[in-house]
């Protein structure tokens, strides 16, 4: 696998545009209702460098696969802003369920991660941020506005 460009990664892995930004493909769904675990590939590119601010019910385990760095902006229930960068030296990150998260590509043409979600991901369990959501964090709203 000697992918040089984001387009090669998208084509090789069969990724599709994601409504949060970037590209993805679900690679695994465990049995059960709801599924115990789901896994995806997720790609941010220079042309689609940002993941929208959202919160999931389930824990998300992120694994850097290749490419540049991704910066995560995380908001736990206490409302503080936590920044984490995944790639190079930090290859994994866990985002607890209920935390808000947004992300952007820091460097390079692309960054590819894998995500494992447990219990498994369901769109009904995800909330996308709106301007009204930002009102709960007035001190952060200007910083987070680009992630809506």
């Amino acid at each position: 696998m000697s992918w040089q460009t984001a387009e090669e990664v998208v084509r090789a892995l069969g990724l599709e545009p994601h409504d949060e930004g970037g590209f993805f493909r679900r690679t695994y769904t465990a049995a059960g209702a709801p599924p115990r675990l789901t896994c995806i590939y997720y790609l941010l590119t220079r042309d689609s460098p940002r993941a929208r601010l959202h919160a999931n019910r389930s824990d998300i385990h992120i694994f850097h696969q290749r490419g540049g760095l991704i910066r995560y902006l995380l908001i736990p229930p206490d409302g503080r802003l936590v920044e984490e960068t995944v790639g190079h030296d930090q290859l994994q990150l866990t985002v607890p369920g209920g935390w808000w998260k947004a992300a952007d590509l820091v460097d390079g043409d692309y960054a590819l991660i894998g995500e494992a979600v447990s219990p498994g991901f369901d769109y009904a369990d995800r909330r996308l941020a709106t301007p009204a959501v930002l009102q709960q964090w007035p001190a952060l709203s200007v910083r987070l506005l680009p992630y809506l």
Side-chain angles (χ1 to χ4, degrees):
M1 296 185 298
S2 59
W3 306 316
Q4 300 298 314
T5 68
E7 293 79 16
E8 290 173 337
V9 176
V10 167
R11 197 169 34 257
L13 296 178
L15 305 181
E16 299 177 359
H18 197 294
D19 66 346
E20 294 168 10
F23 301 86
F24 85 110
R25 180 172 63 90
R26 187 176 283 202
T27 59
Y28 179 74
T29 301
R36 294 184 311 273
L37 175 75
T38 56
C39 299
I40 66 167
Y41 286 125
Y42 185 71
L43 180 76
L44 290 177
T45 69
R46 200 168 267 178
D47 292 333
S48 187
R50 187 166 285 152
R52 292 180 59 191
L53 183 63
H54 64 284
N56 293 304
R57 174 183 60 91
S58 300
D59 293 347
I60 299 175
H61 310 282
I62 298 162
F63 305 91
H64 188 268
Q65 302 288 314
R66 62 178 48 212
L69 299 171
I70 296 179
R71 177 181 45 232
Y72 286 88
L73 303 177
L74 307 170
I75 305 170
D78 65 14
R80 65 191 158 90
L81 180 65
V82 177
E83 288 191 43
E84 295 281 348
T85 302
V86 175
H88 306 315
D89 295 329
Q90 181 176 344
L91 300 178
Q92 295 184 22
L93 174 67
T94 298
V95 180
W99 285 38
W100 289 88
K101 75 171 180 148
D104 52 355
L105 181 64
V106 173
D107 66 1
D109 291 330
Y110 69 86
L112 176 66
I113 61 169
E115 289 187 352
V117 181
S118 178
F121 179 81
D122 185 319
Y123 282 99
D125 297 328
R126 179 193 66 173
R127 291 180 56 206
L128 292 174
T130 63
V133 168
L134 293 187
Q135 291 176 6
Q136 62 188 310
W137 313 296
L140 301 177
S141 61
V142 171
R143 176 81 189 278
L144 297 173
L145 192 59
Y147 297 92
L148 290 186

